Amino acid sequence: MLFLQFLGFGFFDFPKYILNPNASEQELLKWNGWGYNDSKFIFNKKGQAEFTGKRYRLGGMVLPTFKEWIEKTFGASLEHKTTSRASLNVNDVPPSIVNEEFLQDLRATKISYSQDAEDRVFRAHGHCLHEIFVLREGMFKRIPDIVVWPVCHEDVVKIVELACKHNLCIIPFGGGTSVSSALECPEEEKRTIVSLDTSQMNRILWIDEKNLTACVEAGIVGQDLEKQLAESGFCTGHEPDSMEFSSLGGWVATRASGMKKNIYGNIEDLVIHIKMVTPRGIVEKNCQVPRMSTGPDIHHFIMGSEGTLGVVTEVTIKIRPVPEYQKYGSVVFPNFERGVACLREVAKQRCAPASIRLVDNAQFQFGHALKPQVASIFTSFLDGLKKFYITKFKGFDPNILCVATLLFEGDREKVLQHEKQVYDIATKFGGLAAGEDNGQRGYMLTFVIAYIRDLGLDYYVIGESFETSVPWDRVLDLCRNVKERIVRECKEKGVQFAPLSTCRVTQTYDAGACVYFYFAFNYRGISDPIHVYEQIERAAREEILANGGSLSHHHGVGKLRKRWMKESISDVGLGMLRSVKEYVDPNNIFGNKNLL
Amino acid sequence: MALSSCSLSHSFFICSQQKELTSKKRDEFEDILEERRLSSDLRYAMKCYTPVIYKGLSPCKPNAIKSAVLQSEQVQYVIKQLAKEMGESPDIIQEEAMEILDEMGHSMQLGAVRFFAFTLSKIFKQLFQRVCVNEEGMQRLQHAIQEHPVVLLPSHRSYVDFLMLSYLLYTYDLALPVIAAGIDFLGMKIVGELLRRAGAFFMRRSFGGNRLYWAVFSEYVKTMLRSGYAPIEFFLEGTRSRTAKTLTPKFGLLSIVMEPFLKREVFDTYLVPISISYERILEESLYAYELLGVPKPKESTSGLLKARRILSDNFGTIHIYVGQPVSLRTLASGRINRCPYNLVPRHLPQKPSEDIQEFVSDVAYKMELLQIENMVLSPWVLVAAILLQNLPAMDFELLIEKTLWLKGLTQTFGGFIEWPDNLCARKAVLSGLTLHANIARLVDGHVVLNDKGLEDGAVGEIVFKRALAILMCATYRNQLLNVFVRPSLVAVALQMTRSFRKEEVYSCFSFLRDVFSDEFIFFPGISLKDFEEGCFLLTKCDAIQTSQQEIYPTDKGSVIVSFLSAMFKPFVEGYQLIFRYLSKETKEAFTEKQLIPGVRNFVFQLLEKGNTQCYEALSSDMQKNALAALVQLGAVKKKKIVETLLWDPATKFLNSLAGCFCLPLPFGFQSFSQGFDKQREQSCLFLIEGLLCVLE
């Protein structure tokens, strides 16, 4: 008590909730894992895997082969269980240190804020493995001292002004789905850290149907944006795998990419105008035009700046009428090489559907393990027949074949036409159409994979995903070498079970592709699994770079991949970025230490 | 001179850690002929042969590889380029490429392999007593072949090398290698084609300027490597060593096989050093003639048939040691971390960066040093080394005693002696003498060189015959040299400098190492480490004692020190003669073709007059090495004038260099400081003084 007073505030200045306008949403989400509280994988009384909740197609379904897959793939056993602590231990949380003068100024603005431990911890992390591990078993050394909830652009201007006045550090927070350690507070930061939560800036300000644009506040979450636009018959079509939780501002700040970029484009193709508040003032353009030649595009300083320059408050984004028709599809290839060749050809002919992905054999089996119990003998008979046709009649090796998943979108007629074109190309590369269901399940996997990680954590299995982009001619070599590197590094680092090391080609471009890796292993018998994990992830990244891949296609750099920035963009390039930072934010108010 | 005692003692630590040579555990040998002598060769040749293969391999026919090469982006790119430059149709150049491929490509067939398996069984059983292999090495190789593409890097002492290696792999049911062979084999009717079917592919001796040839050849090799089609075998030394001393490596093929990894087209590549040593080399006398300038007979089938008579001869035991496969990825880790190939499409021909070239060279030397490390030394090698120091005759009992002594010393230095169990020294020496009756024999309790018919004949003929015998004998001593070279050069330096100051001894050592850089195998750029190793080994056998600043020979060490320097005396003297010839007898630029007979005559005359006893200076190998060293030291310049290589001696420099090997020295040796740094100058001074005592 005395101690607290000494620090400048008494116990009663330290209420649990001053106001958390986000409290209801926050309570829906797990505090120590991915996604919604009600959605998770469990093993039911019969020992079968089951996905709870009703939010996903998989919800409430029993997955009869999933347990076996886990046991086989990881050597994990249901008897060896670790448990996360049940709730946050408030006593462990670093105290909130906020100067009283600032608090007075803040109260005067009427902007909601909170110094509550749970609120602060919730915004102290993204979803990297080590962050989740800390939540389950430890505590962050440094977390935000205070959370603020501006509700509009003007609020943000006020907050940034106050931060400049009191020399505070601001870390913008959107959906909290970062996987680059971008949200972690720098341990050595001595100033008060203000977490600027944009979640209350979530309105669509206007829709311009003539120009097909919409001006939206940056805190809006992906699924809300699409839901609200859909009410007027529109969509942005920007669907990153995290779209249930990630925010528009976050997409801009990390140069995000969406699953359906083939039709709608990546974030840099979608934005028409950005308004950002910086310590130096507000940066924006004078008009909302499709293109302009006025020197280097200032949007490109903002996109990918990862919260180091300011807070994006409003974004004008392209919109499209909601497509009339959607159709999933899938193609089985005899092997990964043929599959990649097919995707390359599709990209060459520029006829890629909204989404086209190629999963390798391990990921195909992974997806297969998530197949729900079939309802009737008839479906199971049909499944058997399909399997027989592919493996016996067509001679595909079930341990080598791989699957492309497809998503078509547009007019019904055009979709069918497009579908035929793509399947024709696939046939040339030995591909066999494998049905809509397989396709849809493939996409579902990307939404539930993060939930699976939480399940794994309960059984000594840790894992993560990472991504890169690579020229077409190096795709195969990169995939093979990175997977192999992971396997070897695991062996060398004393991992006692063979890891899951799998990839998919997840986006196609004219000149290359985006490759996504999943990597997980059973860490029983290892004393410091996170350290081992990080060493292996680092080796995998080195391997990617040596194979001509990029540091990141869409996850960003954050603090996790900073060490390779110089190598990635050259000394001069880094200097260019630094000089922008120095001009815009000379006192490092946006001090999350990402990127540079 | 930047040599602090601190760095000395530091690297000494590293060196003593690394060099636990004698305690190094080596694998046991197994005789593969033993079973051949017991069971049917025919059944063996027809056995079920199902080798394990590379995990990623989809088997294909030799012709499929050829067409893949022809259609590859790499070759097509060069074809288009050439077509554009020469204004010819790409089809014509494509045709040319096809011809190159047909000339080059192997067409491995199981039938031919079985034919070889049968005939070689017969022949090997005739020629050799035993063919010993480390089975653990074969097991490691079997494992490696499945894991990553494999490159076999055997030492090259004889044509038997590659026949034997393929035979061995067949015996152990391992994938047969494709072998890079010189195009001259194709000159042999039938045999050339037979070799082709057994997996040989043929490369022209020089094709640096021919871009199409280079593209086709390198792509052919890389295609086979990338797909893991078969282990690729070639000789780092480039050709058979006529002296049994490891030749300095050639880098061309090595850089080709390293490229797929460096471009990350494969995850890793295994390099497997293989040491093949012969108790008696099939071509020993042929080599001696060749070294003396009697031209090598062109490879011909009839020549081979004539060579049949050697079938009645006994060539003792062969030892094949298959070394630990070395992962190229491991070698490259931390060294090639920038990504040199990321910014250019990988199929474009690209000159490797300096970094990469240096890396290739380091790998080449490393692999040769590994070959040397595992090369089996027979007792006869020791006998030959002693004999050469005790010409013309040596007491048999003394020889035995000395041989035993040298055995101990060799083992201390890490030499891999295969001394049959329970065999007493007398028997070992005797069996060596029996096997090598053509070189030396026992007469009245004395061992003498076998130079029959010496008495009659002109002086010249006597010199020639003696030279033959000595060069043949030297071939066996030479097998010791690379094991001995570091401590020996320290010993030579000690004698030359007659100083105990470590710095001075090192400076002289370093100079000698530079001069002999083509004669012996030194890993590039680690002169100090080599010196430390030499000192360490000498300390280990109690020949010297070292302190921070100084090196003292011990009392009992003088025997070792003088033995070691005497062992290398032919080289010091030989180089001296060659330098003298160059500085005195040549005035203008010369070609290699002019130089070699020139030196030979010069030395020959000196020998005839009895002014020197250095027969080994007649060896064209030594002459070429000395020339290469001079080029490297900058004393001779290489010029290219219309397809002919000319060497242009920088007379002044050469004079001074010859001067430091020659006695007595003219006054003005300050003059050689031109282009010659202080350190060198000093070492030359040591040399001159030292030579006085060595030559006493």
Side-chain angles (χ1 to χ4, degrees):
Chain A
M1 193 68 196
L2 248 167
F3 175 64
L4 286 174
Q5 272 167 353
F6 179 71
L7 285 173
F9 36 77
F11 188 71
F12 296 105
D13 299 333
F14 206 87
K16 190 164 158 50
Y17 287 101
I18 286 188
L19 175 64
N20 177 351
N22 192 36
S24 58
E25 286 117 83
Q26 196 173 314
E27 269 170 13
L28 287 177
L29 301 179
K30 291 197 191 76
W31 71 276
N32 64 349
W34 178 262
Y36 298 105
N37 267 324
D38 58 11
S39 304
K40 58 174 177 256
F41 284 92
I42 54 156
F43 288 107
N44 63 21
K45 283 174 197 129
K46 287 189 201 155
Q48 284 178 314
E50 198 178 317
F51 192 65
T52 63
K54 295 198 175 100
R55 293 175 190 273
Y56 299 89
R57 206 172 74 111
L58 211 54
M61 292 203 190
V62 171
L63 313 166
T65 57
F66 191 51
K67 181 182 159 208
E68 192 196 329
W69 179 83
I70 291 186
E71 287 169 342
K72 202 182 84 192
T73 310
F74 297 107
S77 139
L78 296 193
E79 278 131 48
H80 298 99
K81 199 165 179 217
T82 73
T83 36
S84 163
R85 72 162 144 255
S87 64
L88 184 65
N89 186 351
V90 178
N91 296 328
D92 291 346
V93 177
S96 159
I97 301 174
V98 185
N99 158 334
E100 186 55 37
E101 286 163 37
F102 166 65
L103 280 179
Q104 272 171 14
D105 283 351
L106 184 62
R107 281 184 207 114
T109 64
K110 306 265 191 286
I111 295 168
S112 314
Y113 71 92
S114 162
Q115 286 171 274
D116 170 66
E118 280 178 28
D119 291 341
R120 292 186 295 121
V121 169
F122 189 84
R123 286 159 187 82
H125 65 88
H127 281 271
C128 285
L129 175 69
H130 65 267
E131 295 169 311
I132 300 303
F133 221 77
V134 167
L135 285 173
R136 288 168 64 97
E137 299 189 355
M139 181 40 65
F140 300 106
K141 292 216 175 74
R142 187 75 169 92
I143 66 166
D145 296 293
I146 182 166
V147 183
V148 295
W149 282 274
V151 296
C152 61
H153 170 77
E154 285 69 29
D155 281 356
V156 174
V157 174
K158 286 178 202 157
I159 293 166
V160 173
E161 271 168 8
L162 284 182
C164 290
K165 180 179 164 195
H166 296 279
N167 190 26
L168 314 176
C169 169
I170 298 179
I171 297 184
F173 181 90
T177 57
S178 150
V179 281
S180 60
S181 300
L183 288 169
E184 268 179 273
C185 299
E187 269 175 43
E188 65 283 2
E189 181 59 69
K190 295 282 185 299
R191 301 173 295 182
T192 294
I193 296 180
V194 180
S195 176
L196 192 155
D197 185 323
T198 59
S199 62
Q200 305 311 301
M201 303 199 296
N202 55 8
R203 292 166 300 167
I204 296 178
L205 297 178
W206 45 256
I207 294 176
D208 177 348
E209 299 195 8
K210 288 211 176 74
N211 294 308
L212 286 178
T213 54
C215 184
V216 188
E217 287 184 315
I220 196 165
V221 167
Q223 58 174 338
D224 296 342
L225 175 61
E226 292 303 277
K227 224 177 276 165
Q228 290 175 38
L229 283 175
E231 288 165 12
S232 322
F234 293 104
C235 69
T236 64
H238 186 69
E239 293 186 9
D241 292 351
S242 61
M243 72 171 294
E244 300 162 278
F245 310 106
S246 59
S247 68
L248 174 58
W251 302 339
V252 171
T254 54
R255 285 182 73 86
S257 169
M259 183 180 97
K260 300 192 290 196
K261 72 94 194 156
N262 291 334
I263 293 183
Y264 301 96
N266 287 319
I267 196 71
E268 68 272 20
D269 310 307
L270 284 165
V271 292
I272 293 294
H273 185 264
I274 303 171
K275 196 192 261 186
M276 178 165 79
V277 181
T278 76
R280 190 57 85 168
I282 293 156
V283 53
E284 61 180 331
K285 293 183 183 175
N286 72 327
C287 53
Q288 312 213 42
V289 292
R291 183 175 194 273
M292 55 203 274
S293 175
T294 47
D297 191 339
I298 53 161
H299 283 171
H300 285 285
F301 289 128
I302 298 168
M303 284 186 291
S305 61
E306 306 192 355
T308 59
L309 298 178
V311 186
V312 176
T313 54
E314 291 170 14
V315 178
T316 305
I317 190 166
K318 290 197 233 172
I319 54 173
R320 299 287 305 164
V322 172
E324 173 194 315
Y325 186 62
Q326 251 198 357
K327 191 172 182 191
Y328 288 97
S330 65
V331 181
V332 190
F333 290 98
N335 55 45
F336 194 64
E337 290 74 12
R338 302 285 278 165
V340 170
C342 174
L343 260 64
R344 204 281 161 266
E345 184 60 28
V346 166
K348 201 190 244 171
Q349 296 193 21
R350 293 205 171 158
C351 64
S355 168
I356 175 164
R357 290 173 172 180
L358 180 78
V359 304
D360 69 1
N361 185 268
Q363 214 166 119
F364 160 72
Q365 301 205 7
F366 189 177
H368 215 69
L370 290 175
K371 222 171 175 173
Q373 204 154 29
V374 280
S376 71
I377 296 175
F378 182 66
T379 8
S380 98
F381 172 73
L382 270 186
D383 279 351
L385 213 58
K386 266 190 252 167
K387 195 176 168 193
F388 177 81
Y389 177 71
I390 288 175
T391 59
K392 294 291 176 326
F393 190 72
K394 283 288 174 181
F396 285 21
D397 182 340
N399 292 313
I400 294 178
L401 63 81
C402 73
V403 177
T405 60
L406 309 164
L407 174 61
F408 297 91
E409 235 182 60
D411 301 344
R412 195 186 150 83
E413 207 172 301
K414 278 191 189 148
V415 162
L416 296 178
Q417 213 179 336
H418 194 176
E419 197 185 15
K420 183 174 180 315
Q421 189 187 4
V422 173
Y423 282 111
D424 283 350
I425 295 174
T427 313
K428 283 187 198 135
F429 292 89
L432 287 176
E436 286 180 64
D437 190 50
N438 276 319
Q440 200 169 4
R441 201 169 34 247
Y443 288 100
M444 181 191 62
L445 180 66
T446 60
F447 286 98
V448 299
I449 182 91
Y451 289 101
I452 294 177
R453 180 170 81 183
D454 290 335
L455 177 75
L457 280 168
D458 289 341
Y459 295 96
Y460 290 92
V461 174
I462 51 179
E464 184 85 279
S465 61
F466 53 92
E467 41 75 27
T468 186
S469 50
V470 59
W472 277 116
D473 70 314
R474 297 176 199 242
V475 168
L476 282 176
D477 288 334
L478 182 134
C479 290
R480 181 198 56 232
N481 290 344
V482 172
K483 287 196 280 183
E484 170 110 30
R485 178 75 182 262
I486 289 171
V487 172
R488 304 194 137 229
E489 291 286 334
C490 281
K491 207 185 263 174
E492 269 168 39
K493 301 283 179 312
V495 176
Q496 300 183 4
F497 304 86
L500 172 72
S501 169
T502 158
C503 74
R504 66 167 187 262
V505 177
T506 200
Q507 286 290 8
T508 64
Y509 292 87
D510 288 350
C514 168
V515 181
Y516 209 96
F517 293 90
Y518 291 134
F519 152 47
F521 63 87
N522 181 342
Y523 69 84
R524 257 169 55 218
I526 299 177
S527 60
D528 190 357
I530 294 301
H531 181 64
V532 167
Y533 168 79
E534 282 172 350
Q535 283 181 314
I536 297 169
E537 191 192 0
R538 187 174 155 181
R541 182 57 63 181
E542 300 274 0
E543 191 63 35
I544 286 176
L545 296 174
N547 279 271
S550 64
L551 189 52
S552 171
H553 169 265
H554 60 273
H555 282 173
V557 176
K559 289 177 272 289
L560 192 63
R561 287 176 274 273
K562 251 166 91 165
R563 76 176 96 228
W564 294 288
M565 267 301 270
K566 197 163 107 176
E567 183 185 333
S568 289
I569 61 169
S570 82
D571 272 337
V572 177
L574 203 58
M576 288 160 90
L577 297 186
R578 281 209 178 106
S579 64
V580 170
K581 164 80 178 172
E582 258 157 49
Y583 172 76
V584 173
D585 183 17
N587 296 318
N588 196 29
I589 299 300
F590 289 89
N592 60 15
K593 296 231 164 141
N594 290 338
L595 201 61
L596 297 176
Chain B
M1 157 119 225
L3 177 72
S4 68
S5 55
C6 165
S7 77
L8 262 178
S9 53
H10 174 67
S11 49
F12 195 88
F13 171 67
I14 296 170
C15 141
S16 51
Q17 266 199 332
Q18 285 177 343
K19 280 287 161 185
E20 278 307 319
L21 285 175
T22 40
S23 58
K24 188 179 145 69
K25 181 95 180 75
R26 289 192 177 99
D27 304 338
E28 298 286 316
F29 284 105
E30 206 64 42
D31 178 13
I32 60 164
L33 283 190
E34 201 173 292
E35 205 197 316
R36 289 277 71 357
R37 295 192 204 280
L38 297 175
S39 68
S40 153
D41 289 333
L42 191 61
R43 196 177 306 145
Y44 162 77
M46 300 315 291
K47 73 172 180 173
C48 171
Y49 170 67
T50 47
V52 294
I53 53 171
Y54 174 53
K55 62 179 178 200
L57 176 68
S58 35
C60 66
K61 292 258 181 314
N63 274 330
I65 289 196
K66 283 195 208 166
S67 59
V69 171
L70 205 59
Q71 295 313 318
S72 69
E73 283 172 309
Q74 286 81 345
V75 170
Q76 286 298 323
Y77 177 82
V78 174
I79 287 177
K80 273 181 206 139
Q81 283 271 308
L82 289 172
K84 213 190 281 171
E85 281 168 30
M86 309 196 311
E88 280 212 63
S89 123
D91 293 346
I92 294 177
I93 298 174
Q94 170 120 354
E95 204 122 302
E96 211 178 305
M98 191 69 221
E99 277 162 25
I100 294 174
L101 263 175
D102 282 337
E103 173 195 270
M104 168 164 46
H106 73 86
S107 52
M108 204 192 288
Q109 285 173 354
L110 199 54
V113 171
R114 294 194 191 285
F115 169 79
F116 271 110
F118 180 74
T119 42
L120 288 180
S121 294
K122 298 285 181 212
I123 293 172
F124 288 161
K125 279 189 285 186
Q126 275 296 318
L127 288 176
F128 305 111
Q129 287 170 346
R130 296 186 307 154
V131 173
C132 296
V133 181
N134 64 326
E135 288 207 322
E136 282 165 65
M138 297 306 287
Q139 278 157 17
R140 287 192 295 256
L141 182 60
Q142 179 180 27
H143 189 74
I145 285 174
Q146 294 171 71
E147 218 180 341
H148 298 300
V150 164
V151 179
L152 304 176
L153 299 170
S155 58
H156 204 11
R157 303 285 171 270
S158 164
Y159 282 144
V160 176
D161 290 328
F162 60 85
L163 295 174
M164 183 54 86
L165 207 50
S166 291
Y167 182 80
L168 184 65
L169 292 178
Y170 176 81
T171 305
Y172 279 87
D173 227 5
L174 292 181
L176 288 179
V178 290
I179 307 148
I183 200 90
D184 13 358
F185 277 106
L186 279 183
M188 302 165 78
K189 284 170 212 150
I190 309 171
V191 174
E193 284 310 311
L194 208 51
L195 286 176
R196 194 196 284 280
R197 282 183 199 169
F201 63 96
F202 301 91
M203 62 190 289
R204 295 182 190 162
R205 284 280 168 198
S206 64
F207 50 87
N210 188 339
R211 273 149 70 199
L212 184 65
Y213 191 87
W214 175 259
V216 172
F217 178 78
S218 62
E219 192 49 32
Y220 184 66
V221 175
K222 284 187 278 185
T223 302
M224 291 191 289
L225 183 113
R226 276 193 292 255
S227 62
Y229 173 77
I232 290 171
E233 175 183 328
F234 66 92
F235 300 103
L236 274 173
E237 296 166 273
T239 181
R240 292 170 300 161
S241 167
R242 270 63 168 173
T243 59
K245 200 155 47 65
T246 304
L247 302 174
T248 51
K250 304 275 181 291
F251 306 124
L253 246 171
L254 185 65
S255 71
I256 290 176
V257 298
M258 282 168 68
E259 212 181 274
F261 167 71
L262 292 174
K263 288 186 171 172
R264 294 300 193 278
E265 292 163 339
V266 295
F267 183 78
D268 199 353
T269 303
Y270 276 131
L271 306 176
V272 186
I274 298 174
S275 319
I276 308 178
S277 50
Y278 297 86
E279 202 176 1
R280 186 176 163 208
I281 297 167
L282 213 60
E283 295 101 322
E284 56 177 5
S285 67
L286 228 65
Y287 288 161
Y289 277 104
E290 215 181 291
L291 289 173
L292 290 171
V294 180
K296 163 190 171 192
K298 219 176 158 207
E299 273 88 2
S300 72
T301 309
S302 61
L304 190 82
L305 291 175
K306 272 180 212 146
R308 215 165 26 153
R309 67 187 163 77
I310 59 167
L311 279 180
S312 55
D313 225 337
N314 176 8
F315 289 87
T317 301
I318 301 181
H319 283 96
I320 304 168
Y321 196 95
V322 179
Q324 182 82 36
V326 178
S327 146
L328 187 53
R329 174 174 275 269
T330 309
L331 291 178
S333 85
R335 254 203 83 156
I336 308 289
N337 41 18
R338 274 156 286 164
C339 319
Y341 295 102
N342 280 0
L343 292 177
V344 180
R346 291 180 296 178
H347 67 273
L348 301 196
Q350 204 185 337
K351 194 170 183 279
S353 66
E354 263 170 46
D355 272 6
I356 301 244
Q357 285 180 31
E358 197 187 299
F359 179 55
V360 171
S361 153
D362 286 358
V363 171
Y365 275 98
K366 186 179 171 80
M367 298 320 284
E368 285 202 344
L369 286 167
L370 287 172
Q371 284 176 2
I372 290 167
E373 194 179 307
N374 291 326
M375 191 73 88
V376 166
L377 305 167
S378 66
W380 167 251
V381 164
L382 309 176
V383 172
I386 295 161
L387 221 58
L388 279 174
Q389 289 191 28
N390 294 280
L391 291 177
M394 187 180 188
D395 180 62
F396 183 56
E397 299 302 326
L398 187 62
L399 178 63
I400 292 168
E401 188 189 311
K402 275 273 185 189
T403 305
L404 262 184
W405 171 81
L406 185 55
K407 178 189 171 203
L409 191 62
T410 309
Q411 280 169 335
T412 311
F413 289 172
F416 186 6
I417 296 182
E418 188 67 5
W419 194 283
D421 286 340
N422 310 321
L423 192 62
C424 71
R426 174 180 299 275
K427 273 193 186 147
V429 175
L430 264 178
S431 98
L433 281 170
T434 321
L435 192 65
H436 297 275
N438 56 331
I439 296 176
R441 66 201 153 112
L442 193 56
V443 181
D444 305 330
H446 280 76
V447 178
V448 294
L449 269 197
N450 197 353
D451 31 17
K452 265 181 234 149
L454 236 174
E455 303 74 25
D456 37 83
V459 193
E461 216 168 306
I462 294 172
V463 170
F464 187 80
K465 282 200 171 144
R466 201 165 173 80
L468 265 184
I470 286 181
L471 285 185
M472 268 186 351
C473 198
T475 302
Y476 295 94
R477 173 213 57 199
N478 283 350
Q479 297 178 26
L480 277 185
L481 294 183
N482 273 308
V483 175
F484 274 66
V485 68
R486 285 159 199 83
S488 296
L489 289 192
V490 173
V492 173
L494 262 176
Q495 292 206 332
M496 283 190 176
T497 52
R498 288 208 237 159
S499 159
F500 301 129
R501 289 195 49 230
K502 218 174 203 172
E503 268 185 29
E504 287 177 28
V505 178
Y506 171 65
S507 159
C508 178
F509 172 88
S510 175
F511 174 74
L512 288 168
R513 188 181 178 275
D514 286 346
V515 170
F516 292 130
S517 64
D518 280 81
E519 200 72 51
F520 309 109
I521 304 302
F522 297 105
F523 192 84
I526 54 158
S527 188
L528 184 58
K529 223 173 134 207
D530 279 344
F531 178 67
E532 296 295 346
E533 189 186 318
C535 290
F536 170 71
L537 292 175
L538 286 179
T539 318
K540 209 166 137 193
C541 61
D542 292 330
I544 58 166
Q545 282 181 330
T546 57
S547 70
Q548 286 278 316
Q549 303 289 340
E550 296 184 320
I551 300 178
Y552 307 94
T554 58
D555 292 339
K556 67 179 253 211
S558 64
V559 182
I560 294 176
V561 169
S562 53
F563 178 85
L564 293 181
S565 43
M567 192 178 209
F568 284 75
K569 184 171 131 185
F571 295 92
V572 176
E573 266 187 57
Y575 272 53
Q576 179 193 78
L577 288 173
I578 294 163
F579 293 168
R580 204 158 83 194
Y581 169 78
L582 277 173
S583 62
K584 299 262 165 65
E585 309 288 321
T586 59
K587 305 243 153 33
E588 282 158 38
F590 53 88
T591 65
E592 192 180 297
K593 270 198 186 128
Q594 292 165 336
L595 171 76
I596 289 181
V599 182
R600 193 183 298 129
N601 288 337
F602 174 72
V603 177
F604 212 89
Q605 278 163 20
L606 289 179
L607 284 166
E608 276 180 336
K609 288 182 205 144
N611 288 347
T612 179
Q613 286 301 311
C614 184
Y615 284 85
E616 291 186 46
L618 286 172
S619 154
S620 58
D621 180 67
M622 185 185 287
Q623 293 153 9
K624 283 176 199 166
N625 289 339
L627 184 62
L630 286 175
V631 172
Q632 248 164 32
L633 290 171
V636 175
K637 281 199 179 61
K638 219 171 176 175
K639 278 200 244 168
K640 198 170 187 182
I641 300 169
V642 210
E643 298 295 305
T644 349
L645 280 176
L646 283 179
W647 275 269
D648 186 12
T651 319
K652 210 169 170 192
F653 184 9
L654 203 59
N655 262 330
S656 44
L657 204 63
C660 48
F661 273 95
C662 274
L663 304 171
L665 188 84
F667 292 102
F669 75 81
Q670 294 94 329
S671 66
F672 68 68
S673 60
Q674 227 180 8
F676 211 52
D677 58 26
K678 270 266 184 288
Q679 180 189 337
R680 286 267 158 72
E681 190 177 323
Q682 214 178 6
S683 18
C684 287
L685 184 61
F686 300 144
L687 272 169
I688 296 146
E689 289 174 357
L691 275 167
L692 274 168
C693 89
V694 174
L695 299 178
E696 284 309 310

